[in-house]
Amino acid sequence: MAAALDAGADMVGLMFFPKSPRHVSLSQACRLADMARGRAEIVAVTVNMDLDGLSRINELVKPDTFQFHGEEAPEALAAAKVMQGTKVMKAISISDRSDLEQAHYYAVVADRLLFDAKPPKGSELPGGNGVSYDWTILKDLDLKKPFMLSGGLDPENVAEAIRLSGVSEVDVSSGVEREKGVKDSGLIRAFLAAAKGVKVPG
């Protein structure tokens, strides 16, 4: 967390999904959120969590945004947005252009969308698998809402991904880890330097 903040990350994610190697407890999340507050947007990442669970996170951690990374319907995002009083982001798993259709339904209620690669067959994780897709399918996509590029990004390819997709916001997890679930401060700094060094036409 400290490396990301010091390198200028605009958002930091806290993972609330027990099957993930990046899962944090509520007490850990509170400490990390206090470290980040006022320096970066705090994003609570959840997977098919019920409203009681969201409320508990909101009460204790006080995130700026909830990211929904499961099979949540647009109506679930709308309900959470009203009940929690936070911004909401929806992660959408894609592999080709046809998968982008669902984005228009979520864009009605979400404050931001995130396009991640579809997980490999048999994976229990909806994201953070280090899998990529054809970034060019996001080129010139107009949703009237901000959206982010995720999936298989690392310090070596993030600049190319930004240029090919035209997307100025990127998300990374496994691409800055020295082993699964363990972040590497050097890779974090390299990733942010590469991402922030790209000029996106607009």
Side-chain angles (χ1 to χ4, degrees):
M1 176 70 79
L5 294 170
D6 291 343
D10 299 302
M11 296 180 178
V12 291
L14 302 173
M15 173 63 72
F16 296 93
F17 186 51
K19 292 182 179 180
S20 171
R22 305 165 188 102
H23 173 69
V24 293
S25 66
L26 281 170
S27 59
Q28 289 172 320
C30 288
R31 289 195 297 271
L32 292 169
D34 286 343
M35 186 189 303
R37 206 171 312 280
R39 300 180 66 187
E41 185 172 333
I42 301 163
V43 182
V45 184
T46 64
V47 180
N48 300 325
M49 184 174 285
D50 60 26
L51 286 172
D52 286 342
L54 297 176
S55 295
R56 185 74 171 151
I57 293 170
N58 197 31
E59 176 188 357
L60 296 176
V61 182
K62 299 178 176 61
D64 301 297
T65 299
F66 274 100
Q67 182 191 126
F68 297 90
H69 216 304
E71 299 168 352
E72 303 90 356
E75 295 79 9
L77 270 68
K81 186 173 183 176
V82 171
M83 293 185 68
Q84 310 308 330
T86 65
K87 292 182 286 187
V88 296
M89 182 191 315
K90 181 69 178 81
I92 297 176
S93 299
I94 62 174
S95 60
D96 57 46
R97 195 174 298 276
S98 66
D99 294 318
L100 296 177
E101 285 301 313
Q102 59 185 313
H104 296 278
Y105 299 103
Y106 286 103
V108 175
V109 294
D111 297 285
R112 177 180 268 103
L113 298 174
L114 182 147
F115 293 105
D116 200 355
K118 285 187 176 179
K121 188 175 182 179
S123 174
E124 292 188 299
L125 304 179
N129 293 292
V131 179
S132 188
Y133 55 92
D134 179 5
W135 300 314
T136 63
I137 66 176
L138 299 179
K139 191 78 171 178
D140 301 322
L141 179 63
D142 184 10
L143 294 172
K144 311 299 183 188
K145 291 286 177 71
F147 56 91
M148 303 179 72
L149 169 65
S150 185
L153 300 179
D154 60 37
E156 300 298 321
N157 66 18
V158 65
E160 180 186 16
I162 291 171
R163 293 189 192 98
L164 290 175
S165 67
V167 178
S168 59
E169 298 182 2
V170 292
D171 172 89
V172 67
S173 188
S174 61
V176 291
E177 293 178 341
R178 60 175 176 267
E179 59 184 88
K180 189 170 288 189
V182 181
K183 297 293 185 286
D184 183 289
S185 58
L187 291 175
I188 290 172
R189 288 192 294 269
F191 182 91
L192 284 164
K196 289 178 176 289
V198 182
K199 295 286 187 286
V200 179

